[in-house]
Amino acid sequence: MNIHQRSRLLLYAAAFLFLFSLVLTLAPAVRERTWDVEYRWTHWIGYLVWGLTAHFVQRATGKLIPDGDHFLLHAASLLAGWGLLTIFRLDPIFGLRQTVWLAVAAGLYAFILKFPGDLAQLAKYKYIALTAGLSLTALTLVLGANPAGSGPRLWLGAMGIYLQPSEPLKILLLVYLAAYLAHRLPDEVYEGPPHKGRRFFSFPLIIPTLVMTGGSLLILLIQRDLGTASIFLALYIVMLFAASGKRRVLLLAAIAFALAGLGGYFFIDIITIRLEAWLNPWLDPSGRSYQIVQSLLAIANGEMIGRGPGLGSPSLVPVAVSDFIFSAIAEETGLIGTIALLLLIGLILARGLRAALQATDRFQRLLATGLTAYFGIQSLLILGGNLRLLPLTGVTLPFVSYGGSSLLTSFVALACLLRVGSHPEEEPAPLHNPRPFQFLATFFTLGLFACALASGWWAIVRGPDLLNRTDNARRSIADRYVPRGNILDRANQAITVTEGSRPYTRAYLYPPLSPVTGYTDATFGQAGLENAFDNYLRGLQGNPARMILWNQLLYGTPPPGLDLRLSIDLDLQKTADTLLGEHKGAIVLLNAQSGEILVMASHPFYDPNLLNDSILTNPDSPLVNRAAQGMYPIGALLDPLLAALFETSSPSEDSLSALYADLGFYSAPELHLPVGNASLPGADGALRVSPLQLALAASAFSNAGIRPAPRIALAVDTPAQGWVILPTLTEPQPVLSPERAAQIVNSLTPPDSIQWILSGSAREKEKALRWFVTGTPVGWQGSPLTLVVLLEEDNEALATAIAMHLFADAVSP
């Protein structure tokens, strides 16, 4: 590759990162949709330093090893720059620190390239190197620190500079293993066709490697650095397999990992927590599984093209700069970005194996194999953890994650790989058994392919479901920058509105209706109509597709939301809430013909403007919509009801069951709200219904025998068509003949009254209840109405007063 081709590769990487930096700078203006914002500038320092270091390492590589693999170099360089800008986006302070480490790493890279002599000379110092690494790592047991101030003390630090010895120890261990296995194993391990059944190297022969690797693992286990310990063990297995070509090594390794995982699950609490969070993260999404759930939500939020650099919410994922930087990239660059990232990692692994095959001696071949395995295994571990393919391990993504020790180690490994594969004029060492390299290439390919499939699964297939979870705070964050649609009553009086300017706030103007309208909140999620019609209120439905796509592309957010008109009559609703006052109960008033719910009161209620944890433990259950979700025994109300419905005083059980089914007592009403689960009478024989169910059934009396389909959301205000009527979820159902319905109404209407009446008491365990049901008579000239009052107390006078007052207001002109 000539200098012009190398420069072109660097130019492509620089152009991509320049555009990334530019979008990061403009992101605040895009999010706020105004130029009068505070722009991001500090990441340009990182971009400038990256450009200088990338140019420096390219020049150094071209000068010191002209035949070096520049595809490998530029893939690693692009990953380092991409990771650096992502770290700046997440935390500028960490970004500045990573910039310094990048400059140091570039200098160390050049030093290794310039180091005199052949890389094979490292084999002479294998014991010294590994002993030094083990000693430094062991020092953390005594002098260890944590830059965060708390947590595992895995670093050695002074004057604000910290080094994690376990990172360079990986390379030192690989140098030792490569040197030992290359010079101590018999020639027949390497020579001869693999199918001849050569004897495997004896156990005593590999005891020194077990001792040295075991010492490393012991220190890491004491430190509880289980992720790094897993990598060490995996690298040891890879080196043995690469040296011997024996598949039994892999079998023994699989058994060892399974036993270690099983033992850790039962005896080590941190492994138990991580395995349980991996197996079922949805059981405790706000506790033990919080990290993985938030990671999956971030990936889902990225969808295909991402929110855009600086426009997502990756900071919701804990430790996004390090352990979960992949999820941060996925959220803001989408599935396209994650596939590109995986391809860059795959390119590094492919070129690393190529370097191993080009090695001129056993030591360098084994060393290059181990270094490539280090990149591959560590990448797959952290990618798999982010994607829930594997349990979380807490390791870094090479070249990308924040961490000076990790970045230095990655660039040292990169320099060694380039030196191993930079001798095309020399004959590669004989390769009689290609099986380990074929296996590693297949393993890494399948691993990255699995990560790509998992990314698509969470971003595209499962994405919509994940984003609709009530614990997804990203929806509420988006509502701060895009006006959410208002909720209005039937006369367009405001019930719930969006106030202020960016950031917007949601204001609930009439809290007594909160059991119906619900809430949308960054902490508590969504409930009620706010949840049921979230797509309309957020602008994801009802707006033209091109408008939605344009807003997603340009701003990373939906367009302004649509207003929602309800069937609620706010004036009648206020009357009902005033009449019910401090009493527990529910009121439903609906149009018996159209099924439109005019009043739905539930007391006690809550104030969605003042949500806090105490509401979840309130014994009065204010979050429950008693009108639609409360299931109460119908009690003594059943007697006059049956007397009106049947001419005989003793109807058969089959007749009763058929009638109850027709009236809808055995099925839950289909409404855009949570409703109670209707069921057959319980063991006590009591028929339980919700006030809404009873109101719909009683509407058949005033509606010529037809039970209406309930509706509470009437229309949405679309930009293209204006107010668009929303359909009901079901169709009206004939229950009685018009003649029979008229007879029943006449039998239930007191003399000199304009309304029919049903009243009765009931008991739920030790609690007394009172029902009052009324409606308009046959031949009523206005809209037929049905009203149900339910009190969680046996107070006939109060129930009658509430019903009569509210009904009179409803029928008055």
Side-chain angles (χ1 to χ4, degrees), residues 331-399:
E331 179 169 5
E332 298 200 333
T333 62
L335 182 60
I336 293 176
T338 61
I339 296 299
L341 183 73
L342 294 175
L343 288 175
L344 286 173
I345 295 173
L347 179 60
I348 290 175
L349 299 181
R351 305 304 285 194
L353 290 177
R354 178 178 178 270
L357 293 173
Q358 292 178 338
T360 56
D361 59 59
R362 295 176 185 173
F363 165 72
Q364 293 188 78
R365 175 166 291 162
L366 285 176
L367 178 60
T369 303
L371 294 174
T372 303
Y374 152 67
F375 285 134
I377 291 171
Q378 184 154 322
S379 296
L380 290 178
L381 275 178
I382 192 60
L383 293 174
N386 280 211
L387 291 163
R388 203 197 153 206
L389 289 174
L390 297 170
L392 293 176
T393 53
V395 296
T396 55
L397 185 58
F399 297 110

Side-chain angles (χ1 to χ4, degrees), residues 699-751:
S699 293
F701 302 160
S702 297
N703 189 36
I706 298 176
R707 176 165 56 90
R711 64 185 306 162
I712 194 167
L714 295 181
V716 291
D717 189 11
T718 65
Q721 299 174 286
W723 287 101
V724 174
I725 304 301
L726 296 172
T728 58
L729 298 178
T730 56
E731 297 295 327
Q733 299 294 325
V735 175
L736 305 166
S737 67
E739 296 77 15
R740 182 61 181 146
Q743 292 175 3
I744 293 172
V745 168
N746 290 332
S747 68
L748 295 176
T749 304

